[in-house]
């Protein structure tokens, strides 16, 4: 990122986009697959106690693609760095999983264990997209909307 900023200062047209975990249909890493399998299999999902309140922010793949394409057309933000992420800063993993289950026509059974009883999940960034919204016109899709689309994709897989 520093090298791109230096190059931009010398006239190279670079814009940096910082991304959290990117979610959506056709995710090659299948990040939500184990949750979908548990929900569709009516199995409980084990979470850590800290997951109850820790906020998360993902990025919908189509929102990233639209923003990147608009930068290529408009040449906006050259030499700058922007965070991209979903809008709602108050969503927790339990909120997200309950909504995923609802989109799948089920209910999620969440079980919370003390933080010391289960290994920590990998770290996920929590980015603030407000600058990208102001300067680039970035408008993230409502998370419940893209999660429903993503759930449909997962449920259509064999």
């Amino acid at each position: 990122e520093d090298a791109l900023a230096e190059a931009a200062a010398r006239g190279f047209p670079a814009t940096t986009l910082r991304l959290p975990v990117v979610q959506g249909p056709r995710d090659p890493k299948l990040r939500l697959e184990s949750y979908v399998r548990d929900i569709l299999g009516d199995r409980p999902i084990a979470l850590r106690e800290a997951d109850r309140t820790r906020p998360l922010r993902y990025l919908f793949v189509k929102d990233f693609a639209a923003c990147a394409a608009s930068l290529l057309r408009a040449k906006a933000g050259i030499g700058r760095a922007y965070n991209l992420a979903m809008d709602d800063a108050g969503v927790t993993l339990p909120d997200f999983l309950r909504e995923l289950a609802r989109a799948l026509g089920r209910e999620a059974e969440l079980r919370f264990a003390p933080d010391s009883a289960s290994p920590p999940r990998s770290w996920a960034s929590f980015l603030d997209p407000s600058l990208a919204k102001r300067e680039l016109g970035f408008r993230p899709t409502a998370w419940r909307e893209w999660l429903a689309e993503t759930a449909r994709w997962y449920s259509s897989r064999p």
Side-chain angles (χ1 to χ4, degrees), residues 3 16 20 30-31 36-37 45 58 68 77 96 106 119 141 152 156:
T16 300
L30 301 173
R31 289 174 183 88
V36 170
R37 285 184 183 187
I45 298 172
Y58 294 138
F96 189 82
R106 303 291 178 93
T141 304
R152 286 189 298 275
S156 70

Side-chain angles (χ1 to χ4, degrees), residues 43-77:
R43 291 184 296 274
I45 298 172
L47 299 174
R48 296 165 45 100
E49 190 62 40
D51 291 329
R52 282 188 195 272
T53 58
R54 183 180 300 127
L56 58 83
R57 266 200 171 144
Y58 294 138
L59 176 63
F60 183 40
V61 66
K62 292 180 181 180
D63 292 342
F64 165 69
C67 184
S70 73
L71 287 174
L72 293 172
R73 288 189 302 270
K75 308 282 190 224

Side-chain angles (χ1 to χ4, degrees), residues 4 25 33 41 47 70 78-79 97 113 124 134-135 139 142-143 147 151:
L4 284 176
E33 185 171 41
L47 299 174
S70 73
I78 293 174
L97 294 175
R134 279 194 313 273
E135 293 189 5
R139 294 293 173 257
W143 71 274
L147 184 57

